[in-house]
């Protein structure tokens, strides 16, 4: 969504990533403005999708677990991203 259009929400593009059969799906954005990535977990598949925020395309999906899980947590600290 384009936040510049608030209070109206304008959908920019639907980006298909993996599944999350849980009630919570955190999304992380690095604080470095030169890094054009969003990290989107797919806990049901045990993967993490990397989305280029400039092109709005999935650049890669990385396997991070041997099986799916219930949820994925991020912790941001001093220009770093940590997942748990």
């Amino acid at each position: 969504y384009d936040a510049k259009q608030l209070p109206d929400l304008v959908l920019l593009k639907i980006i298909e990533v993996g599944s999350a059969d849980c009630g919570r799906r955190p999304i992380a954005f690095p604080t470095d403005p030169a890094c054009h990535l969003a990290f989107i977990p797919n806990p049901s598949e045990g993967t993490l999708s990397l989305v280029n925020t400039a092109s709005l395309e999935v650049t890669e999906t990385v396997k991070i677990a041997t099986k799916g899980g219930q949820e994925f947590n991020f912790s941001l600290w001093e220009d770093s991203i940590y997942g748990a």
Side-chain angles (χ1 to χ4, degrees):
Y1 290 96
D2 184 356
K4 295 179 225 161
Q5 301 296 323
L6 288 173
D8 298 322
L9 290 177
V10 177
L11 180 64
L12 297 175
K13 183 176 182 178
I14 294 175
I15 303 169
E16 293 194 25
V17 295
S19 62
D21 296 330
C22 58
R24 198 167 84 96
R25 183 185 238 179
I27 298 173
F29 298 91
T31 56
D32 182 353
C35 183
H36 297 284
L37 288 176
F39 299 88
I40 304 172
N42 311 306
S44 300
E45 300 172 359
T47 62
L48 180 71
S49 293
L50 306 176
V51 175
N52 182 308
T53 58
S55 67
L56 301 178
E57 298 289 335
V58 175
T59 59
E60 188 172 1
T61 298
V62 180
K63 188 79 169 163
I64 57 173
T66 56
K67 63 179 185 173
Q70 289 299 313
E71 74 177 47
F72 188 92
N73 296 310
F74 286 105
S75 175
L76 304 172
W77 184 261
E78 296 185 14
D79 297 330
S80 298
I81 294 179
Y82 302 93

